[in-house]
Amino acid sequence: MEYTDLYINGTWQKTADRFDVINPATEQVIASVASADIADADAALDAAEAAMAEWAARTPRARSEVLRKAWELMTARLDHFAHLITLENGKAGVDARGEAAYAAEFFRWFAEEAVRADGLITHAPASGARIMVQHKPAGLAVLVTPWNYPAAMGTRKNAPALAAGCGVIIKPASETPLTMLALMPLLEEAGVPKGLVNVLPSKRTGALVDHMLHDPRVRVVSFTGSTGVGRKLLKSAADQVLKPAMELGGNAPVVVMEDADMDIAIEGTMLAKMRNLGEACTAANRIYVHADIAEEFTRRLTEKMAALKVGDGTDPSVDVGPLVNADTRDKVAAFVADAVAKGAKVECGGVTPNGTGYFYPPTVLSGVPETADCVHDEIFGPVAAIQTFTDQEDAIRRANDTEYGLVAYVFSGDFKRALQVCERLDYGMVGLNRGLVSDPAAPFGGTKQSGLGREGGHEGMLEFMETQYISASW
């Protein structure tokens, strides 16, 4: 691997302490990566602070042009990034290329948003003073990214931070640091100043991030990952009263009404369940199907799931790669075993294969009881857990019966009815007759324990800006 060192102040810096990155399909080491310590974090903060002053002073159009160039360069190299994603994450090639394209789009979207940090000038109704409102860069941002989208979760945070005028330090997941490191030469070529973006892979994530969050120069922390880790980061962020942007866990329900178009419902559920092998906070976790159509739905979903080819994602004929590591695979297997022990039926899959690699087959469970663990926690794997309902009110109640509120999916042929159901679901996002909600142009985020703030859309850039109000008389 070409880029395996720390990226600080526009230079590659080796460390004596390193850690291995494993290919989940082969269980072989593919790279030895530098592991950052506290001194490295301080150096990155120094570099970002120095570079930010000039970057923030640039016109919005100047920043926009750099981001636009980054989109062009990444789009031209999608195959390269897709291959790297597959090697370190395991996802199938077609899925990896989709992620790379999605990741690049954040540069294009925020190139357009960089020039739209609109303010306001008006009169105070009582005093007559001018109210002048503008948005300014918040300050240095620490970006902590997960392993399930090695490229997209980095660009979804980095692009709006740069558009806003901030300097950043990226801490990629230890399982998948290579993709983000490989992006740095591209940003250099696009014109990002040295020091503005720094990447610190490390096997000491907790201590490293906590140290940075207690540096007074840091004003924003953006994290994607589990709710448990998010809570810890929020506690650290509270000490310095940082702006937090948190995209945390999910427990996404799919509600399939009896009047749904079956073809659309099956395709949408497949996408919501199997995109990224189910290793996504947006993945369909609980599938509620009206009893009148449950038999046909289960049969057709099972046929689709059973037909998927499992194997090394570098093989272009493969649909489903391995899970990211042994712990994730074993947790998925435990969810299935628990559901079956409590009365669920295995329609396909359900058995961990022998041999090398962290593989688990696409699995459909029917008759999943409410007491099953997978109903209350993220499966994070290729398991479709089907339940039935007969009453719409009951379906809405069960869909909302979770501490999470990231995304839900609804399938119905009656648009008015479907919108009424969507509005009663306590989720930050709802996919209506579609299994994909992620879009750079849309505000991505959840309610309840699924996080704070939004990524993407116009709101995504404002997470990295402070609103300043000037009361003026003249």
Side-chain angles (χ1 to χ4, degrees):
M1 293 298 161
E2 190 173 357
Y3 303 107
T4 60
D5 297 325
L6 308 182
Y7 185 76
I8 300 174
N9 201 23
T11 64
W12 297 101
Q13 302 188 15
K14 296 185 180 297
T15 61
D17 192 15
R18 306 181 77 85
F19 62 93
D20 292 336
V21 177
I22 307 297
N23 182 330
T26 65
E27 300 185 43
Q28 298 298 307
V29 175
I30 56 175
S32 173
V33 175
S35 182
D37 60 18
I38 299 302
D40 298 316
D42 288 338
L45 290 167
D46 290 343
E49 180 186 31
M52 180 181 160
E54 185 272 331
W55 178 254
R58 292 191 188 187
T59 64
R61 177 63 69 196
R63 296 197 296 267
S64 171
E65 292 299 330
V66 172
L67 290 169
R68 174 76 184 191
K69 182 64 174 178
W71 168 73
E72 293 173 353
L73 292 171
M74 191 170 184
T75 300
R77 303 171 192 177
L78 290 184
D79 289 340
H80 168 71
F81 282 101
H83 181 67
L84 195 54
I85 291 168
T86 294
L87 288 181
E88 64 176 347
N89 170 274
K91 65 182 68 176
V94 64
D95 208 353
R97 199 175 196 283
E99 181 192 339
Y102 174 55
E105 280 297 314
F106 284 102
F107 287 127
R108 177 158 66 164
W109 173 257
F110 284 107
E112 297 163 347
E113 285 300 298
V115 298
R116 297 193 178 95
D118 297 334
L120 173 72
I121 298 179
T122 187
H123 281 81
S127 68
R130 266 65 167 185
I131 295 174
M132 304 171 63
V133 179
Q134 62 181 340
H135 302 289
K136 302 172 66 176
L140 299 189
V142 173
L143 316 179
V144 185
T145 63
W147 51 258
N148 56 344
Y149 286 93
M153 296 304 95
T155 60
R156 191 164 79 179
K157 299 176 187 301
N158 189 29
L162 296 183
C166 296
V168 304
I169 298 90
I170 303 172
K171 167 58 186 72
S174 299
E175 293 89 347
T176 57
L178 302 175
T179 303
M180 195 49 50
L181 290 169
L183 186 64
M184 293 305 105
L186 182 150
L187 294 185
E188 286 184 21
E189 187 178 348
V192 172
K194 290 184 181 297
L196 190 67
V197 179
N198 305 269
V199 183
L200 300 180
S202 179
K203 60 186 181 183
R204 292 177 290 271
T205 298
L208 192 78
V209 173
D210 186 72
H211 175 76
M212 290 191 287
L213 298 193
H214 286 89
D215 188 298
R217 294 171 292 182
V218 173
R219 298 312 309 148
V220 182
V221 55
S222 179
F223 169 73
T224 296
S226 71
T227 296
V229 174
R231 291 186 184 117
K232 293 178 181 178
L233 292 180
L234 283 169
K235 289 178 181 178
S236 293
D239 291 339
Q240 295 290 332
V241 196
L242 305 185
K243 290 191 69 173
M246 299 277 158
E247 194 266 284
L248 306 178
N251 186 4
V254 177
V255 180
V256 184
M257 302 294 189
E258 72 276 14
D259 59 4
D261 182 303
M262 187 62 73
D263 291 337
I264 292 175
I266 292 294
E267 291 301 323
T269 301
M270 281 291 295
L271 181 57
K273 176 69 264 182
M274 294 303 294
R275 182 170 178 254
N276 204 50
L277 195 60
E279 293 177 306
C281 295
T282 56
N285 211 60
R286 300 165 290 149
I287 303 173
Y288 300 110
V289 185
H290 195 280
D292 289 352
I293 61 170
E295 182 177 350
E296 180 187 359
F297 180 93
T298 301
R299 175 182 58 79
R300 291 182 58 176
L301 186 68
T302 299
E303 290 172 354
K304 287 274 192 180
M305 293 280 278
L308 296 174
K309 181 179 178 180
V310 179
D312 190 326
T314 59
D315 179 345
S317 68
V318 162
D319 302 303
V320 176
L323 293 164
V324 72
N325 54 37
D327 288 345
T328 301
R329 177 199 59 197
D330 294 345
K331 184 179 179 181
V332 171
F335 276 131
V336 172
D338 171 78
V340 171
K342 293 173 179 175
K345 177 185 177 184
V346 177
E347 300 288 346
C348 70
V351 178
T352 304
N354 295 321
T356 302
Y358 309 126
F359 295 98
Y360 196 83
T363 298
V364 176
L365 302 176
S366 62
V368 176
E370 280 291 319
T371 56
D373 291 343
C374 64
V375 174
H376 306 285
D377 197 2
E378 285 185 287
I379 299 170
F380 240 63
V383 178
I386 299 175
Q387 299 177 272
T388 62
F389 70 93
T390 56
D391 178 70
Q392 177 177 299
E393 292 301 310
D394 180 55
I396 294 172
R397 179 191 62 78
R398 289 158 68 185
N400 284 334
D401 187 19
T402 175
E403 68 176 358
Y404 300 106
L406 186 60
V407 62
Y409 303 92
V410 176
F411 294 91
S412 172
D414 184 333
F415 193 67
K416 177 181 178 181
R417 176 193 189 189
L419 280 178
Q420 290 172 338
V421 171
C422 290
E423 290 176 353
R424 294 181 59 194
L425 293 173
D426 191 3
Y427 291 83
M429 302 175 289
V430 181
L432 176 52
N433 289 329
R434 58 185 287 116
L436 177 65
V437 297
S438 302
D439 192 300
F444 186 104
T447 63
K448 298 187 286 188
Q449 299 295 306
S450 287
L452 299 167
R454 292 296 183 268
E455 294 185 316
H458 183 65
E459 295 85 347
M461 185 174 67
L462 295 182
E463 297 291 345
F464 296 93
M465 307 191 86
E466 292 286 3
T467 300
Q468 183 183 56
Y469 148 59
I470 300 172
S471 179
S473 296
W474 60 79

